[in-house]
Amino acid sequence: MALSADDVRKLALLARLEISDEEVEHLGPQLESILGFVAKLSELDTSDVEPMTTALDVDNRWRRDEITPGLERAAALANAPAADDECFLVPPVLG
């Protein structure tokens, strides 16, 4: 699949990226390689593959909700850059 410079610029615009003309020339072949790989993957027969949410062996996120011990407040605040006796202290971000 050949991508034109305009195609690369359009993809950059969709990704909210500002790229120079030199970057367009450099990224074009890389994007073509990526799209070629995706096209090759689409040729695979996945009709017998069960859908999955993750490839990792992890607990179901809908597991039973059980109360477990957590950190004591003093331990949680021990490494905070700024804290009082009860809370983390953070600088204001609005206003």
Side-chain angles (χ1 to χ4, degrees), residues 54-58:
T54 179
L56 304 174
D57 185 23
V58 294

Side-chain angles (χ1 to χ4, degrees), residues 19-74:
I19 59 175
S20 66
D21 290 336
E22 294 83 25
E23 290 171 315
V24 168
E25 296 300 320
H26 181 73
L27 292 174
Q30 292 179 11
L31 289 170
E32 287 179 18
S33 174
I34 292 168
L35 292 174
F37 181 71
V38 171
K40 187 180 285 189
L41 286 176
S42 68
E43 295 172 5
L44 293 174
D45 179 19
T46 58
S47 59
D48 293 332
V49 178
E50 254 185 76
M52 60 182 177
T53 57
T54 179
L56 304 174
D57 185 23
V58 294
D59 291 334
N60 188 344
R61 65 184 179 142
W62 302 114
R63 70 183 187 276
R64 188 179 186 127
D65 192 13
E66 297 175 359
I67 297 175
T68 58
L71 285 174
E72 295 291 326
R73 183 175 298 177

